[in-house]
Amino acid sequence: MKKREKILRINGDILSVFRICNEVGWESLKEISVYRIIYISSVLYSFKYPSKENPFSEDYDFVTSLRGPFTEDIKISLTNLLVNEYLVENGKQLSLGKETSNKIDDLPKYKEKYNWFEVVIYILAIYGEEKIYDFVVRDPEYQENLQTNSIKEINIEKGNKTYSNLVKLKETFERALGESANELDDKKYLEYYFDYIFSKILRGELDHEL
Amino acid sequence: MNFNDPDIVNKIIENAGHILRQAKSTVINHPKFKILSSNYLEKYWMNRVNKKNLFTIYIKESCLDKLDFKKIKSNLDTVIQNTLHTSNFLEVNENFEVLLSENHFFKDTQEAKGYLKSKSEEGYCVFFFGPVGVDAFVKGESVTDLNFFYSNEDVERFYEKGDISSIKDVLRSYQNHCLRKQFEYSRFFVDKGTIDKLGFGNNTLVNKPEKFMRDHLRNFLAERIRHTFRIEMELEATKRELDIYTEAEGESYFFEIKWLGKSINQERDKISVNYADARAREGVKQTLEYIEELVEVMGANVRAGYLVIFDAREEKKEIDFQGFSNVDDNLKEYMELFDIMPPLNLSNVHPS
């Protein structure tokens, strides 16, 4: 029963991702992008809400794989959503199917996670779906697990390496701007963080650096 | 990621005013504004064949909430594209349907920029598509400052063609401005998927890249120098071909192209060749042989034969010509008509 509830919650997250992606003009997604978007959202959550419990923690056990962060449960959910026509597959692309459900709104912490997905996807959409790979492959927490060949699940809790980097970025702005930094909110820091990573990637400066 | 780097702190301090101003702007920080400019308009600009075509698209700030990206994508490729055939100043709605199309021709950049800023003060987001990229204006201020020229007259003056005496400046510009743009350099290399799959390194050139390099360089020269640049001009006796050839005031100039680095084979599963310094030394000899044949057999009035080297090695080192020791003595007298251009560095810093 517990497993079934978990899959339902993950179903809800996946459908949220597809709905928000539709709003930014991504009508379909590669399966691998679904894993990556949920991973990025989960690893960054505690930066925005440091005093809240990370709602992704109870459902996601990401491990490193050759294709990026992976968890069997997303795989199961995707199959479930495809079989029930909430999603349809066209080649290697997935998109929303003819079935829709309003019940997912009632899932625990659904709205909280939906709002957070919205923040993350709207930032990712600035760069395009094809750039999500660049961000995930250079994500400090993911890289640490990869480099140490860790078989343990990736830490998405507060204090993970990505979180620590964001905190450092924020402290740097606060040091440089003094009190004026109060005018910047955490969402803005997230944007700067992505901006910083992608500008480095574009200049080819982040290939080996953690 | 070292955020304690004093350079980063200094950069934030330097740009503090700009950062705080932008952070306060409800328009620039609108979640859909950045997606529109980065993921739709910049991509649209990038895919345009003629980037010297200047135009402006403007949209009411109040439309941002309702932007429909699916319709925008489709209309950019249809309605907008067609309207741009006859107009250069378009007002659009949230779906990028054209509300108003006009033509504005500005006498210079200052006038154009002034007009775009004033338009943005009327509650519009103004996007200017210039030779270098898309610049946005919001509430009377520039959000980005990519373009230097905003009027056709200024662009024309910039592109005014020089004569052959400007060849070294033109090649410098080719290196510094053209070969550093991702959409230009990425075309010399195999795609990212193949790079990742085969693991030969980012700088893996396409199969037989020499013809592509020749045509790419020739097109650049033809745009900036007023003479006619021919390719594959055949030499009378040996039937060998000059890569690029031109004549100016009755004098002949030619360019022999060589490349260093590795290229993929036709089947795209192995490296076919990997050229190092020896290839550049062969180029010296070959160029001198061409000069000899042009002068002695064809009686051409050769002013200069240039060796142009595209350096696509992963690690760029100074090319060792070994004092031209591979050049036969009988060719050395033609050295006075020979020159080596500074190497054109090709780096696939961000594979696509």
Side-chain angles (χ1 to χ4, degrees):
Chain A
M1 187 63 180
K2 271 193 167 171
K3 177 81 177 169
R4 190 173 166 273
E5 284 166 4
K6 180 177 175 178
I7 296 302
L8 280 177
R9 287 195 297 271
I10 297 178
N11 284 359
D13 290 346
I14 294 173
L15 291 177
S16 300
V17 167
F18 275 92
R19 284 175 188 174
I20 300 162
C21 285
N22 250 356
E23 285 172 25
V24 299
W26 299 350
E27 290 170 64
S28 63
L29 284 175
K30 290 187 204 115
E31 182 182 328
I32 202 71
S33 297
V34 179
Y35 290 84
R36 290 169 183 171
I37 290 170
I38 297 179
Y39 168 73
I40 294 173
S41 306
S42 66
V43 83
L44 293 174
Y45 184 85
S46 298
F47 175 72
K48 175 82 171 128
Y49 303 105
S51 53
K52 280 191 183 177
E53 191 192 332
N54 186 337
F56 295 95
S57 302
E58 61 175 319
D59 292 333
Y60 296 98
D61 305 320
F62 286 105
V63 291
T64 53
S65 83
L66 286 174
R67 302 182 71 199
F70 178 80
T71 167
E72 189 63 33
D73 293 325
I74 292 183
K75 182 96 199 149
I76 295 168
S77 264
L78 283 170
T79 310
N80 187 281
L81 290 167
L82 281 165
V83 169
N84 291 296
E85 298 187 354
Y86 286 101
L87 295 179
V88 286
E89 195 169 12
N90 188 0
K92 287 185 176 172
Q93 297 288 116
L94 304 174
S95 50
L96 286 172
K98 61 179 182 187
E99 282 298 328
T100 51
S101 169
N102 295 325
K103 284 185 193 158
I104 59 168
D105 297 5
D106 303 328
L107 289 167
K109 296 176 188 165
Y110 171 79
K111 194 67 196 161
E112 184 184 341
K113 286 191 278 181
Y114 185 95
N115 291 341
W116 178 236
F117 281 131
E118 204 167 42
V119 170
V120 173
I121 292 169
Y122 268 77
I123 296 177
L124 287 172
I126 296 170
Y127 305 95
E129 188 195 347
E130 68 275 16
K131 296 284 191 295
I132 299 176
Y133 163 84
D134 287 314
F135 186 81
V136 174
V137 82
R138 289 165 176 87
D139 172 59
E141 184 58 37
Y142 183 74
Q143 272 294 331
E144 180 156 278
N145 276 259
L146 195 69
Q147 301 296 333
T148 54
N149 205 12
S150 171
I151 50 165
K152 284 189 296 184
E153 62 189 72
I154 304 173
N155 179 15
I156 57 172
E157 296 290 352
K158 185 176 168 183
N160 68 62
K161 236 184 148 187
T162 312
Y163 168 88
S164 309
N165 266 310
L166 264 158
V167 171
K168 278 185 208 155
L169 173 98
K170 187 178 174 182
E171 286 168 355
T172 305
F173 271 84
E174 286 169 344
R175 217 170 34 251
L177 298 178
E179 279 192 9
S180 308
N182 294 337
E183 292 172 33
L184 305 173
D185 61 15
D186 288 342
K187 186 170 163 272
K188 203 72 212 158
Y189 285 120
L190 265 183
E191 282 180 26
Y192 293 150
Y193 184 63
F194 277 78
D195 224 27
Y196 174 80
I197 302 282
F198 280 107
S199 64
K200 284 264 185 188
I201 291 169
L202 285 173
R203 292 201 300 269
E205 294 173 16
L206 249 188
D207 282 345
H208 307 291
E209 197 187 339
L210 288 186
Chain B
M1 291 170 209
N2 178 14
F3 294 121
N4 290 324
D5 182 349
D7 279 355
I8 297 183
V9 177
N10 288 339
K11 210 162 250 178
I12 298 170
I13 294 170
E14 267 170 39
N15 293 305
H18 183 71
I19 291 171
L20 294 170
R21 244 190 340 272
Q22 293 221 340
K24 276 185 209 157
S25 166
T26 50
V27 177
I28 300 168
N29 286 303
H30 192 289
K32 290 189 172 175
F33 178 85
K34 281 190 178 166
I35 297 175
L36 174 68
S37 46
S38 301
N39 210 22
Y40 289 88
L41 301 185
E42 281 173 24
K43 279 188 180 165
Y44 181 67
W45 174 87
M46 199 169 275
N47 290 331
R48 285 185 67 81
V49 180
N50 180 10
K51 296 187 171 57
K52 284 190 268 174
N53 234 198
L54 313 185
F55 61 94
T56 301
I57 295 177
Y58 59 106
I59 180 169
K60 281 214 168 86
E61 289 169 6
S62 55
C63 289
L64 287 176
D65 276 335
K66 297 172 282 177
L67 290 180
D68 184 327
F69 290 117
K70 272 179 236 170
K71 288 187 180 147
I72 289 174
K73 196 175 173 193
S74 147
N75 282 331
L76 275 171
D77 292 333
T78 50
V79 183
I80 300 288
Q81 196 139 301
N82 287 335
T83 314
L84 285 172
H85 292 156
T86 48
S87 308
N88 67 6
F89 218 80
L90 319 183
E91 183 183 351
V92 296
N93 65 10
E94 61 274 13
N95 301 328
F96 268 45
E97 289 150 352
V98 179
L99 301 177
L100 183 67
S101 60
E102 298 170 291
N103 271 304
H104 284 282
F105 297 102
F106 302 102
K107 71 174 185 330
D108 58 30
T109 293
Q110 203 183 355
E111 185 186 80
K113 257 185 142 169
Y115 187 80
L116 299 179
K117 281 186 179 176
S118 70
K119 194 85 201 162
S120 73
E121 280 169 345
E122 295 167 18
Y124 288 102
C125 305
V126 179
F127 298 97
F128 169 77
F129 292 68
V132 186
V134 184
D135 278 329
F137 295 86
V138 169
K139 299 209 183 297
E141 286 205 35
S142 307
V143 180
T144 48
D145 249 332
L146 294 173
N147 291 288
F148 202 71
F149 301 119
Y150 278 67
S151 80
N152 282 319
E153 277 72 8
D154 286 346
V155 174
E156 279 312 309
R157 266 195 291 277
F158 176 74
Y159 281 115
E160 203 174 316
K161 291 184 179 183
D163 65 18
I164 193 74
S165 64
S166 59
I167 184 68
K168 289 196 174 170
D169 290 335
V170 170
L171 278 176
R172 202 173 302 124
S173 163
Y174 182 61
Q175 167 76 79
N176 294 337
H177 300 295
C178 183
L179 294 182
R180 290 206 177 141
K181 287 182 188 154
Q182 191 195 354
F183 67 90
E184 296 288 358
Y185 68 68
S186 61
R187 294 192 280 167
F188 289 78
F189 298 101
V190 295
D191 59 281
K192 189 174 186 312
T194 310
I195 288 172
D196 290 343
K197 196 169 119 202
L198 301 176
F200 298 142
N202 278 359
N203 282 8
T204 305
L205 292 160
V206 293
N207 183 237
K208 296 184 179 162
E210 50 276 2
K211 285 199 172 165
F212 180 73
M213 289 167 177
R214 180 199 65 197
D215 292 345
H216 196 263
L217 175 60
R218 182 229 173 236
N219 291 344
F220 191 86
L221 293 176
E223 273 183 17
R224 283 159 181 79
I225 296 180
R226 68 174 76 100
H227 313 301
T228 305
F229 289 87
R230 294 165 58 194
I231 54 170
E232 296 178 349
M233 196 198 84
E234 193 177 271
L235 296 172
E236 274 175 18
T238 58
K239 304 293 180 202
R240 295 200 289 179
E241 288 176 347
L242 301 177
D243 285 330
I244 301 176
Y245 173 86
T246 192
E247 283 177 13
E249 314 297 330
E251 294 177 319
S252 304
Y253 299 80
F254 74 91
F255 303 84
E256 171 59 22
I257 294 171
K258 288 283 177 266
W259 57 271
L260 308 183
K262 53 189 180 300
S263 78
I264 202 159
N265 65 353
Q266 203 166 358
E267 292 73 30
R268 296 164 61 83
D269 58 1
K270 272 191 246 166
I271 295 295
S272 62
V273 278
N274 196 343
Y275 289 132
D277 293 14
R279 184 67 174 167
R281 293 194 288 272
E282 278 172 33
V284 174
K285 193 174 168 207
Q286 201 175 332
T287 310
L288 288 166
E289 287 168 355
Y290 291 164
I291 297 175
E292 179 191 31
E293 185 166 346
L294 279 164
V295 172
E296 306 300 341
V297 180
M298 297 169 69
N301 181 6
V302 176
R303 180 67 178 261
Y306 294 104
L307 175 61
V308 178
I309 299 166
F310 283 85
D311 187 351
R313 293 173 297 178
E314 300 281 348
E315 196 185 333
K316 314 276 190 265
K317 287 180 293 189
E318 199 177 333
I319 299 167
D320 182 6
F321 288 99
Q322 296 180 348
F324 306 123
S325 58
N326 66 320
V327 175
D328 300 336
D329 283 345
N330 64 316
L331 287 175
K332 287 200 170 146
E333 63 179 297
Y334 301 104
M335 290 292 263
E336 69 177 60
L337 302 176
F338 167 74
D339 202 356
I340 305 175
M341 291 294 189
L344 297 168
N345 291 330
L346 275 176
S347 289
N348 198 14
V349 285
H350 191 254
S352 56

